[in-house]
């Protein structure tokens, strides 16, 4: 192939000149030196082809590492050529077989035999020039090399050319042969180097166009160093990729490249592969002493081996040229060898004081039970890995450290940290570790700083009773638990942590108050132990939650919640306290503050690769959007939350995003989607938590929207029963009385609805937002004279509130009230405003309820347009928007009074519009309108 000659033309010309000299009876010796895979064999093959074209006798052979100990093995292969005469071959082989190679004292006999064998070759050269090529002569056996030196001294006056190739790295016993050969006056040495960047570009020109070859040459030279074998393999990978545009595609090392790298190593000295494995494990060869200690080799041999790898262009600057090369070397090493190297590397690096992350990477890669010294290294490395967002690696470090540690507080602390890191990736990842964490908790080995965090994980996973029993058992044990410091300081820290944990547990799951004893918090002003900030976060978040659900404690709830949000940053310990602090703001009806803080926290974790944090905050953001009436954003955020954690990983907390999404889909009229969400299984413990009430209410709202009124009442009443039993009967959590009142209205049970609405209003006299919503219910059955004032008050209240969807309902009801009063202009303005607010919220059912013609026109005009074509388009275009609405409704069979009612205009106005419509469309009767309006251009007009 022509590509083999790039930047080798001068070498080929030199060999050709030497062959010309040999033809004239001046024998020549050529020694071609070069690193592994530098192209020696390619040059030798091309010269052999040229020599055969000139009518010469060519005898070819090649050295082999496996035949290095075979006496005269290389020389016998010279005579085993089909081009040699049978008589000469037989004679030479017979002479060589008769030599006793075992006796050192029989040297004269061997010399005589060599002379006779040389004579056989010289006789062959008398007829025509003789060319002998020996590839990889450095792998030749000792006796064959002696013969080649003997022959070299006898060919000066013969038509013989001997061409040898050798590696740049020679064994000690080969140095004398090399030196003696070069002493011959007729010996010429040719050195091969790797291809330059321009040479690489010329090689690439055989595959791609010249401009593309010039563009790709720098990158290809960087990946191969000009090594012809690697370059061909790289291009093979490029072609194996299939269809590609050569102007855009960049060669990427693949399988062929990896095999070429291994081929270079196997063709080198025996230590080359071992040294390459050591470099691949360490990452570089910048410390030969460390590399030699790792491999158990002499430092000099290692330095020479590294130099050989550089000469072969496998290394550059002490590292592999391409990550694919390092990967290939590691993949080819036996698993046991690789594990032993990583284990030894970790020990050496630790002894040298290397960075803990570097040591830990080797410990994890070794996949073995670490020794005692490795536990603190792995723990510290895990923390550094978390800073670098390497969650999987941090998890592996902690798992290895935990398996190597002994039972006790340190092992319990590792298990807690392990669960928290796994929880970052997804609660499902932490699930397998929770039973062991529960055992450590019950044994009292969990440190005070990890107590609340450990219990929160059990609570999240649905192990409510197990968490409550553990806290109760620990509180009942008056002694200082094993592993905890004694004395006042230790007792104070433990008591504060236990109190915070119990407070958190019973706030999130009120039924557990019967299982967990009431514990008083330690007074921080008099406590002597170190402050447990993690425990305080849980205690303060629980206090905010409790205050938000209490009567008349809104200001305290906001104060406690903001204290948590201002004091703590996102972390494993602070995530759940921060989330419930946000929910406390929601329950305290400070939606504006909740949104600001939630978006700030979401922005904080946007650049962090922590799916669980993003999921929890997205679920809270969805609830905030739902309470603002923004159904579209609520659905989007809830779906985002559910996509970042699998349903199985949400545990009892799935009630928050799932309930929000069900209620949002219901409000948007997507009842099939809501039904599918309700079919998702939920854990039993869900209904023992505050968030479970959200799910019950969402299910009830779905039943109410789809006409299953008694099922809806069952869910709303269940909310009421639970909230009463838990002593959290506040509409800030779930307005179950208002929901039940709506349901009774749907059942035409007005008195029951009013009773519930009025009771709720008495219970919450200062709640303006709730009053606005309740006024809508109370106004529905009133006479017109009393209805309008209530509706006006409701609109006034809700316009200053956060829930835009409730405002849309109120505006629509007020518009209907004015329509009933005959004030069509004001009715039209209010209903249109209500429609736009509902549309912005994504409440399509409410939009259709407010202005039915939006739906009717769209559903019937399109089929008519497909049938009629464009014949009446100019006439239809002449209609004004108001005339088009009247025309569509009339065409659909509505009477003038019905049209007036739907469009909030007078009957007289409808009649005037119809007169102009008949004239413009050139029709005389109402029944002619459908044919004239059969055009989709009016679809959606209202």
């Amino acid at each position: 192939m022509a590509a083999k000659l790039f930047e080798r033309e001068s070498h080929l010309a030199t060999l050709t000149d030497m062959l010309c000299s040999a033809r004239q009876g001046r024998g020549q010796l050529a020694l071609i030196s070069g690193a592994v895979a530098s192209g020696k064999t390619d040059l030798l093959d091309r010269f052999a082809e040229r020599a055969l074209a000139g009518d010469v006798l060519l005898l070819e052979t090649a050295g082999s590492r496996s035949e290095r100990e075979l006496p005269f093995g290389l020389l016998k292969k010279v005579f085993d050529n089909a081009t040699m005469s049978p008589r000469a071959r037989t004679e030479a082989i017979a002479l060589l077989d008769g030599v006793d190679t075992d006796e050192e004292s029989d040297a004269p006999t061997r010399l005589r035999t060599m002379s006779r064998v040389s004579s056989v070759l010289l006789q062959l050269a008398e007829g025509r020039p003789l060319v002998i090529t020996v590839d990889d002569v450095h792998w030749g056996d000792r006796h064959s090399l002696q013969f080649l030196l003997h022959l070299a001294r006898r060919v000066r006056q013969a038509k013989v050319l001997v061409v040898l190739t050798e590696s740049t790295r020679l064994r000690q016993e080969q140095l004398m042969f090399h030196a003696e050969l070069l002493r011959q006056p007729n010996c010429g040495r040719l050195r091969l180097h790797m291809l330059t960047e321009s040479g690489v570009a010329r090689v690439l020109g055989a595959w791609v166009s010249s401009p593309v070859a010039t563009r790709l040459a720098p990158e290809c030279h960087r990946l191969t160093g000009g090594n012809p074998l690697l370059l061909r393999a790289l291009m093979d990978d490029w072609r194996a990729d299939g269809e590609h545009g050569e102007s855009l595609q960049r060669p990427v090392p693949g399988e062929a490249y990896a095999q070429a790298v291994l081929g270079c190593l196997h063709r080198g000295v025996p230590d080359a592969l071992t040294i390459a494995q050591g470099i691949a494990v360490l990452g570089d060869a910048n410390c030969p002493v460390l590399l030699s200690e790792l491999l158990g080799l002499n430092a000099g041999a290692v330095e020479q081996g590294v130099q050989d790898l550089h000469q072969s262009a496998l290394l550059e600057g002490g590292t592999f040229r391409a990550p694919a090369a390092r990967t290939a070397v590691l993949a080819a090493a036996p698993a046991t060898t690789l594990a032993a190297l990583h284990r030894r590397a970790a020990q050496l690096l630790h002894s040298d004081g290397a960075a803990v992350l570097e040591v830990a990477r080797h410990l994890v890669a070794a996949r073995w039970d670490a020794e005692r010294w490795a536990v603190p290294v792995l723990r510290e490395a895990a923390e550094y890995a978390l800073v670098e967002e390497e969650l999987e690696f941090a998890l592996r470090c902690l798992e290895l450290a935990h398996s190597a540690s002994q039972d006790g507080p340190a092992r319990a602390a590792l298990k807690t940290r392990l669960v928290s890191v796994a929880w970052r990736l997804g609660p499902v990842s932490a699930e397998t570790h929770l039973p062991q964490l529960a055992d450590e908790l019950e044994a009292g080995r969990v440190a005070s700083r990890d107590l609340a965090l450990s219990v929160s994980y059990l609570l999240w996973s649905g192990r409510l009773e197990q968490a409550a029993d553990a806290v109760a058992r620990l509180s009942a044990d008056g002694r200082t638990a094993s592993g905890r410091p004694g004395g006042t300081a230790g007792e104070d820290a433990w008591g504060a942590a236990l109190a915070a944990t119990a407070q958190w547990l019973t706030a999130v799951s009120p039924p557990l108050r019967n299982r967990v004893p009431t514990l008083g918090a330690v007074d921080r002003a008099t406590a002597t132990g170190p402050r447990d900030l993690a425990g305080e976060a849980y205690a303060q978040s629980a206090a905010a939650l409790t205050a938000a659900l209490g009567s008349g404690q809104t200001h305290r709830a906001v104060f406690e919640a903001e204290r948590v949000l201002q004091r703590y940053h996102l972390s494993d310990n602070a995530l759940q306290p921060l989330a419930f602090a946000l929910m406390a703001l929601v329950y305290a009806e400070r939606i504006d503050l909740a949104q600001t803080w939630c978006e700030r926290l979401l922005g904080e974790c946007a650049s962090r690769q922590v799916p669980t944090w993003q999921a929890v905050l997205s679920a809270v953001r969805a609830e905030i959007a739902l309470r603002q009436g923004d159904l579209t954003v609520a659905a989007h955020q809830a779906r985002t939350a559910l996509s970042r954690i699998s349903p199985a990983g949400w545990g009892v907390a799935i009630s928050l995003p799932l309930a929000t999404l069900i209620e949002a889909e219901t409000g948007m009229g997507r009842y099939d989607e809501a039904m599918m969400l309700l079919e998702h299984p939920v854990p039993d413990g869900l209904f023992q938590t505050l968030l479970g009430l959200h799910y019950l209410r969402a299910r009830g709202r779905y039943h109410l929207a789809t006409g299953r009124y008694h099922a809806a009442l069952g869910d709303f009443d269940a909310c009421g029963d639970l909230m009463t039993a838990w002593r959290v009967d506040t509409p800030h959590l779930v307005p179950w009385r208002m929901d039940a009142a709506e349901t009774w209205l749907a059942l035409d049970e007005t008195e029951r609805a009013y009773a519930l609405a009025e009771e709720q209003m008495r219970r919450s006299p200062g709640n303006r937002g709730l009053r606005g919503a309740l006024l809508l219910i109370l106004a529905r059955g009133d006479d017109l004279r009393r209805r309008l004032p209530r509706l006006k008050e409701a609109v006034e209240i809700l316009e200053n509130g956060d829930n835009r969807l409730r405002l849309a309902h109120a505006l629509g009801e007020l518009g209907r009230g004015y329509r009933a009063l005959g004030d069509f202009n004001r009715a039209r303005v209010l209903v249109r405003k209500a429609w736009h607010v509902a549309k912005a919220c994504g409440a399509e059912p409410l939009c259709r309820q407010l202005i039915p013609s939006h739906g009717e026109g769209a559903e019937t005009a399109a089929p008519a347009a497909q049938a009629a074509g464009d014949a009446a388009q100019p006439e239809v275009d002449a209609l004004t928007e108001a005339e088009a609405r009247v025309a569509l409704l009339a065409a659909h069979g509505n009477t003038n009074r019905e049209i007036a009612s739907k469009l909030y205009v007078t009957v007289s106005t409808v009649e005037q519009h119809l007169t102009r419509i008949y004239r413009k469309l050139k029709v005389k009767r109402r029944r002619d309108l459908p044919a004239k309006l059969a055009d989709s251009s009016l679809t959606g007009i209202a």
Side-chain angles (χ1 to χ4, degrees), residues 281-444:
V281 166
L282 292 177
D284 59 58
N286 295 330
C287 184
V289 175
L290 177 63
L291 186 58
S292 64
E293 291 181 354
L294 173 67
L295 301 175
L297 297 175
N298 178 272
V302 169
E303 289 184 5
Q304 183 63 55
V306 171
Q307 182 180 347
D308 291 345
L309 294 176
H310 276 94
Q311 291 178 348
S312 299
L314 293 176
L315 298 182
E316 181 181 31
T319 61
F320 286 98
R321 287 186 170 272
R326 179 172 182 257
T327 302
V329 173
L330 293 174
T336 53
T337 300
L338 207 56
L341 287 174
H342 279 297
R343 185 163 59 249
R344 177 64 175 158
Q347 294 168 340
L348 292 172
L349 289 170
H350 180 63
S351 300
D352 289 347
V356 292
L357 263 178
E358 188 178 2
V359 177
R361 294 192 192 283
H362 290 292
L363 290 171
V364 172
R367 299 178 182 178
W368 67 301
D369 292 336
E371 297 175 2
R372 198 77 60 78
W373 64 266
V375 173
V377 173
L378 289 165
R379 176 65 189 265
E380 186 178 356
E383 299 305 322
Y384 281 112
L386 290 175
V387 174
E388 299 296 328
E389 300 290 345
E390 298 182 48
L391 300 186
E392 292 283 359
F393 178 70
L395 188 61
R396 300 287 84 79
C397 287
L398 291 170
E399 287 176 341
L400 192 58
H402 181 265
S403 65
S405 61
Q406 292 183 324
D407 288 339
R411 183 179 174 89
L414 280 170
K415 176 57 71 173
T416 305
R417 192 64 177 134
L418 174 59
V419 172
S420 68
V421 173
W423 211 74
R424 287 193 187 190
L425 291 168
V428 170
S429 302
E431 184 65 28
T432 56
H433 302 285
L434 289 181
Q436 290 180 327
L437 179 62
D439 292 341
E440 299 284 6
L441 187 64
E442 292 178 0

Side-chain angles (χ1 to χ4, degrees), residues 128-393:
R128 52 178 175 166
L130 174 64
V131 176
I132 301 175
T133 65
V134 182
D135 195 13
D136 290 339
V137 71
H138 52 277
W139 291 123
D141 60 279
R142 179 169 57 89
H143 299 89
S144 295
L145 296 182
Q146 288 178 355
F147 172 80
L148 290 175
L149 284 176
H150 179 80
L151 179 65
R153 300 186 186 99
R154 298 188 61 183
V155 299
R156 293 182 60 186
Q157 304 299 324
K159 298 178 181 181
V160 177
L161 172 61
V162 179
V163 184
L164 311 175
T165 70
E166 67 173 4
S167 172
T168 53
R169 170 86 178 274
L170 299 176
R171 304 191 309 276
Q172 186 65 34
E173 61 270 21
Q174 295 169 332
L175 294 176
M176 185 178 68
F177 167 79
H178 177 81
E180 188 67 23
L181 194 65
L182 292 179
R183 285 183 62 244
Q184 304 305 313
N186 59 336
C187 180
R189 186 177 186 184
L190 290 77
R191 291 183 174 88
L192 293 186
H193 301 285
M194 297 299 173
L195 297 174
T196 64
E197 187 175 308
S198 60
V200 170
R202 294 174 62 193
V203 174
L204 294 177
W207 283 282
V208 297
S209 62
S210 180
V212 176
T214 302
R215 181 176 62 83
L216 295 180
E219 178 68 9
C220 290
H221 188 268
R222 184 187 68 81
L223 293 172
T224 65
N227 183 313
L229 179 62
L230 295 181
L231 181 59
R232 284 197 298 272
L234 184 64
M235 297 313 295
D236 287 342
D237 286 327
W238 183 71
R239 289 185 294 176
D241 284 341
E243 296 294 330
H244 48 74
E246 69 173 34
S247 62
L248 301 176
Q249 188 77 10
R250 297 171 63 88
V252 177
E255 183 178 354
Y257 182 90
Q259 292 300 321
V261 169
L262 296 176
C264 290
L265 295 174
H266 285 291
R267 287 165 59 179
V269 296
D271 292 340
L273 181 59
T274 301
I275 293 172
Q277 289 172 347
I279 296 171
V281 166
L282 292 177
D284 59 58
N286 295 330
C287 184
V289 175
L290 177 63
L291 186 58
S292 64
E293 291 181 354
L294 173 67
L295 301 175
L297 297 175
N298 178 272
V302 169
E303 289 184 5
Q304 183 63 55
V306 171
Q307 182 180 347
D308 291 345
L309 294 176
H310 276 94
Q311 291 178 348
S312 299
L314 293 176
L315 298 182
E316 181 181 31
T319 61
F320 286 98
R321 287 186 170 272
R326 179 172 182 257
T327 302
V329 173
L330 293 174
T336 53
T337 300
L338 207 56
L341 287 174
H342 279 297
R343 185 163 59 249
R344 177 64 175 158
Q347 294 168 340
L348 292 172
L349 289 170
H350 180 63
S351 300
D352 289 347
V356 292
L357 263 178
E358 188 178 2
V359 177
R361 294 192 192 283
H362 290 292
L363 290 171
V364 172
R367 299 178 182 178
W368 67 301
D369 292 336
E371 297 175 2
R372 198 77 60 78
W373 64 266
V375 173
V377 173
L378 289 165
R379 176 65 189 265
E380 186 178 356
E383 299 305 322
Y384 281 112
L386 290 175
V387 174
E388 299 296 328
E389 300 290 345
E390 298 182 48
L391 300 186
E392 292 283 359
F393 178 70

Side-chain angles (χ1 to χ4, degrees), residues 551-567:
S551 177
Q553 302 186 60
T554 300
H555 294 296
R556 178 171 176 265
V558 173
F559 172 78
E560 293 287 354
E562 285 205 288
R563 184 164 66 158
V564 173
L565 293 165
Q566 290 174 357
R567 186 173 185 180

Side-chain angles (χ1 to χ4, degrees), residues 716-732:
F716 299 144
D717 288 343
C719 286
D721 293 341
L722 291 174
M723 293 166 68
T724 301
W726 298 348
R727 301 190 298 279
V728 290
D729 188 4
T730 169
H732 305 318

Side-chain angles (χ1 to χ4, degrees), residues 448 478-480 484-497 522-531:
S448 60
R479 298 167 299 160
T480 300
R484 294 196 303 274
T488 304
E491 292 175 359
D492 283 353
W494 182 254
V522 172
D523 185 359
R524 293 311 318 172
T526 60
T528 58
R531 298 191 67 176

